[in-house]
Amino acid sequence: MLWDLIDIIRDNWLLLLIGQYPNGPLGGFAATLILSTLSIALAFPLSILIAFARLSKNPLLLWPSTVLVYVARGVPLLMLILWVYFMVPLLIGANVPGFVTMLVTLVIYEGAFLSEVVRGGIVALGRGQMETARALGHGYFGAMLYVILPQALYNVMPSILSQFVSAIKETTLGYVINVPELTFAANQINNQLLTQPFQVFFILAIIYFLVCWTLTRLALTLERRIARKRAGMPGIPLSLNPQSQTAEL
Amino acid sequence: MQDFDLAAVLSNPEFRQMLVGGLWMTFIVAIGSWCLAMSLAILLLVVRLLPVRITEWVVGAYVAYHRNVPTLVQLMLWYFGISSLLPDGLQIFLTDNNGEAVFAIIALGLCQAAYFSEDLRSGLRAVPAGQMEAARALGHGFVGTMRHVLMPQAVRNALPALINHSVSLFKNSSLAMAIGVAELTHAVKEVENQSFQTFETYLIATITYLVCSLAIMAAGAVLNRRVSISGAR
């Protein structure tokens, strides 16, 4: 049993790591990592805009952003993937690779969930910070940019890291539309071997576990450090426990 | 793309039957795994409360595994992997009797149990330690204290998180389509393949999912209001 695992890893480690690159598209763990990193990097600025819209009193901003957040919270990611898979080629008039489909979906989905994290961070800061900044002569956006956001984003860093873990887990759904990533590579190996499905998927689970567990521990450490550093200051969002608010998959 | 025609999908009895069948299967998977998850979560919580070091470690490992491995991978491990280790007779029996759905319920249930048990545990930890001491001082035993004093408060604390995770569970039931369970997302793909009314089919499914999720959230909010004690912190 153990030898089977070692054999499978020895024979297929390159496929698990980078897919069929350079003879085919980049896949495997590298694609998983690039996909999740890019999606969070692009979703982050988007999420700040959505959070502003959700906090705004203007109904033209408030309503669409609220609808977006509730749709992301209420509709399975798989359904969103199918939508993007269908709509993006229609809108831009050309076929796009599965990688791009998955990236677009994740940016929208993560953007919606991250916006709730950012909004939670801003709300938890309390009104005093904003009122003081305005009283000192900052405009609304100046106060946001120089006073509110630096504190709020610093406080929610652990939750953003947890959202990154969620993104890694969500990239597995790319398998459904044949995006070459880690789960896809494991399925390729399974289809070649045919006889050892348990061993192959066990290896797959272990890889994800090691990566995500390490990052989750890092988020917890970060959370404790931030809580210690800001002890006695406003705005530690107690409800923003990294595990409780993020999307989970 | 054809013209927008919702009726073309909804009035076709075959498509309607597939979609309703899919929704029914979604409910079976979601409710089945919810029940499994909740009973297991309570069991995990009780085991974790035992004054033995090793159980703490075992439950911790269980929770860490299920929270850090993607649900889809857990589904695949159960459906492709663990099923292949079962005796042949059982494998054939499962193949004949909708084994995909059984494995989907097991995988989703075990995964969600980790989240539910953590919710309950944080709910319990949020109850001040004085409550336990006061109840013990008033003559309750450990079990009585748990049942009459601590758990009622813990479940109230945990309710919002439990509801959020119940919505996630409902959404995650769509992953079962990847192992061939004929639930709603699966039915949607089938109808789309046959009708070519992609937009309409997706719209119907999306609205159905959204309505169900919002209904769970609303029911949760009502429940939360009904059980909350006025004046409590």
Side-chain angles (χ1 to χ4, degrees), chain A residues 123-206:
Chain A
V123 170
L125 217 49
R127 296 160 62 114
Q129 295 283 327
M130 180 53 116
E131 283 161 5
T132 312
R134 294 301 292 271
L136 288 172
H138 280 295
Y140 177 80
F141 285 102
M144 270 291 177
L145 194 62
Y146 297 115
V147 181
I148 305 292
L149 273 186
Q151 300 185 66
L153 294 182
Y154 178 77
N155 290 343
V156 298
M157 267 194 317
S159 305
I160 295 173
L161 192 56
S162 303
Q163 200 65 49
F164 178 60
V165 175
S166 298
I168 293 178
K169 294 194 278 175
E170 279 151 13
T171 56
T172 55
L173 266 64
Y175 162 79
V176 176
I177 54 167
N178 292 331
V179 179
E181 39 75 65
L182 187 56
T183 309
F184 187 79
N187 274 284
Q188 276 179 312
I189 296 170
N190 183 41
N191 290 342
Q192 279 165 25
L193 295 174
L194 283 176
T195 49
Q196 295 168 315
F198 179 76
Q199 287 84 337
V200 171
F201 287 106
F202 187 66
I203 292 171
L204 181 65
I206 294 295

Side-chain angles (χ1 to χ4, degrees), chain B residues 20-96:
Chain B
V20 171
L23 185 61
W24 186 237
M25 185 50 102
T26 289
F27 283 150
I28 292 177
V29 171
I31 293 172
S33 47
W34 193 92
C35 294
L36 176 63
M38 197 40 99
S39 12
L40 201 58
I42 293 168
L43 189 70
L44 286 173
L45 185 71
V46 172
V47 168
R48 217 172 201 183
L49 289 174
L50 294 177
V52 192
R53 208 50 198 273
I54 184 95
T55 59
E56 171 82 32
W57 196 86
V58 170
V59 176
Y62 177 93
V63 170
Y65 170 81
H66 286 92
R67 287 212 299 202
N68 287 300
V69 174
T71 313
L72 187 63
V73 173
Q74 295 179 32
L75 271 167
M76 287 173 170
L77 185 63
W78 274 98
Y79 182 65
F80 298 118
I82 294 178
S83 73
S84 72
L85 302 178
L86 296 174
D88 288 341
L90 191 56
Q91 279 190 44
I92 293 167
F93 174 80
L94 280 169
T95 317
D96 293 341

Side-chain angles (χ1 to χ4, degrees), chain A residues 15-175:
Chain A
L15 185 63
L16 286 171
L17 197 62
I18 57 171
Q20 284 163 324
Y21 192 79
N23 303 316
L26 183 69
F29 182 62
T32 292
L33 215 55
I34 292 174
L35 193 53
S36 42
T37 310
L38 264 183
S39 68
I40 287 292
L42 295 175
F44 181 59
L46 179 69
S47 73
I48 295 177
L49 293 182
I50 301 175
F52 278 176
R54 285 268 280 156
L55 289 167
S56 134
K57 289 188 182 72
N58 183 344
L60 280 177
L61 292 174
L62 182 62
W63 278 99
S65 56
T66 308
V67 169
L68 176 70
V69 169
Y70 273 89
V71 166
R73 278 181 64 187
V75 175
L77 180 59
L78 204 51
M79 205 62 232
L80 290 182
I81 294 173
L82 294 180
W83 270 115
V84 173
Y85 191 68
F86 165 66
M87 287 303 281
V88 168
L90 274 185
L91 290 176
I92 65 170
N95 275 326
V96 293
F99 185 90
V100 177
T101 305
M102 202 57 208
L103 184 61
V104 172
T105 319
L106 281 179
V107 168
I108 298 171
Y109 193 70
E110 293 297 330
F113 275 95
L114 265 184
S115 80
E116 286 295 271
V117 170
V118 172
R119 190 178 72 111
I122 293 175
V123 170
L125 217 49
R127 296 160 62 114
Q129 295 283 327
M130 180 53 116
E131 283 161 5
T132 312
R134 294 301 292 271
L136 288 172
H138 280 295
Y140 177 80
F141 285 102
M144 270 291 177
L145 194 62
Y146 297 115
V147 181
I148 305 292
L149 273 186
Q151 300 185 66
L153 294 182
Y154 178 77
N155 290 343
V156 298
M157 267 194 317
S159 305
I160 295 173
L161 192 56
S162 303
Q163 200 65 49
F164 178 60
V165 175
S166 298
I168 293 178
K169 294 194 278 175
E170 279 151 13
T171 56
T172 55
L173 266 64
Y175 162 79

Side-chain angles (χ1 to χ4, degrees), chain A residues 74 83 109 169 216 248-249, chain B residues 67-68 71 165 172 206 213:
Chain A
W83 270 115
Y109 193 70
K169 294 194 278 175
T216 309
E248 122 221 359
L249 213 66
Chain B
R67 287 212 299 202
N68 287 300
T71 313
H165 283 142
N172 283 354
T206 304
S213 297

